[in-house]
Amino acid sequence: MTGTTHASPGLRVLVVEDEPSTREELAALLGGIPELAEVVSAESGEDAVRLLGTPAFDAVFLDISMPGLDGMDLARVLSRLSAPPAIVFVTASESHAIEAFGIGAVDYLLKPVRPERLAESVTRIVRQGRGAAEEEPPADGLDVVQIEHSRRTVFVRRADVQFAEAQGDYVRLHTADGTHLIRMSLSYLEEVWAPAGFVRAHRGYLVAAGWVHDLRVTSSSGLVACTPAGDVPVSRRHARALREQLMEAARSGRLGRAAQ
């Protein structure tokens, strides 16, 4: 079953969701966004595939856990089109985020979706279509990082982050209390956090010098920087700069303490 909601002139999008009330709510929210011209709904992956012969969609908002052709499989089908639509996953779990961005998703929304978060995704789709950068890093120097979860917003202080790990288009921030996934490039984080003592330890890792209590050579990983939140691999390329940064932290009395 499909449905159509018309909005003002703009993009044509498809909503793929097997749960009727969620599908209707998402379509209604999208229908109220000015940048969208038409919102079409599909109740399954198979239903969505049948709609691909109609005029092209600019974006597809799809659930992951669906019977039959699930969201990940459908996304792979869409990515093979000659003019693939932007893909936004709308799901109840964070567990597929890395795979989703590996497929090329523009965004990954957690249910229940807040209207302002949905509007942000549409903005990213519009900017992507114009060739602008997709990445929208938080402002204010990133002293505090705001991270959206399904029903809450978490604020992570930079001083609490012991190391950062690149995961596709995301970065996983490691703290004493756990980890947090945020959409951002590691290179951008390195640029804005370098003055606070964050240094590249490996192609895929940044470490806060103030949290490193020692460097150690292991049989499995080679040289690692040890922090309370875990060990960080150190590549040969970055070992010298890291050692210099740790020496500076030691001279200033910051070694083994949080980066402020």
Side-chain angles (χ1 to χ4, degrees), residues 22-248:
T22 303
R23 182 172 65 248
E24 292 169 7
E25 179 183 10
L26 185 56
L29 288 172
L30 287 167
I33 295 177
E35 291 87 351
L36 305 184
E38 183 180 12
V39 181
V40 179
S41 300
E43 64 183 13
S44 67
E46 290 82 0
D47 194 16
V49 170
R50 286 191 287 271
L51 289 170
L52 296 182
T54 63
F57 292 101
D58 297 292
V60 178
F61 291 76
L62 68 158
D63 188 17
I64 291 179
S65 299
M66 297 185 293
L69 188 68
D70 68 18
M72 287 296 177
D73 290 335
L74 176 57
R76 293 185 182 94
V77 171
L78 296 172
S79 68
R80 291 195 291 268
L81 296 177
S82 57
I87 296 172
V88 175
F89 286 101
V90 184
T91 182
S93 172
E94 293 181 341
S95 60
H96 297 284
I98 304 305
E99 182 181 2
F101 287 106
I103 291 175
V106 170
D107 210 345
Y108 191 94
L109 307 182
L110 293 175
K111 299 175 182 178
V113 180
R114 296 186 302 175
E116 60 271 25
R117 188 66 182 84
L118 194 63
E120 181 184 330
S121 288
V122 172
T123 298
R124 288 179 175 172
I125 291 167
V126 171
R127 289 181 176 178
Q128 182 189 54
R130 292 172 180 168
E134 295 177 46
E135 190 171 288
E136 297 181 62
D140 301 325
L142 291 183
D143 292 338
V144 177
V145 177
Q146 178 177 322
I147 301 173
E148 302 291 341
H149 291 273
S150 57
R151 297 177 183 271
R152 61 196 176 98
T153 299
V154 176
F155 297 93
V156 180
R157 295 171 62 242
R158 180 185 62 197
D160 294 331
V161 177
Q162 300 184 21
F163 66 94
E165 176 185 3
Q167 294 189 340
D169 289 340
Y170 266 53
V171 172
R172 186 170 294 279
L173 305 177
H174 293 256
T175 71
D177 298 325
T179 68
H180 305 275
L181 202 62
I182 183 170
R183 183 174 172 78
M184 184 180 299
S185 71
L186 196 67
S187 59
Y188 177 82
L189 199 62
E190 179 182 19
E191 178 183 347
V192 297
W193 278 5
F198 281 78
V199 61
R200 182 83 67 155
H202 186 278
R203 181 177 62 183
Y205 290 85
L206 289 179
V207 65
W211 280 109
V212 176
H213 51 75
D214 66 273
L215 293 177
R216 185 178 306 163
V217 177
T218 67
S219 57
S220 57
S221 303
L223 184 65
V224 296
C226 303
T227 75
D231 293 344
V232 179
V234 179
S235 67
R236 291 183 179 180
R237 177 182 177 185
H238 297 99
R240 180 175 179 178
L242 176 60
R243 289 179 187 274
E244 291 175 352
Q245 188 79 9
L246 294 177
M247 184 64 71
E248 179 60 30

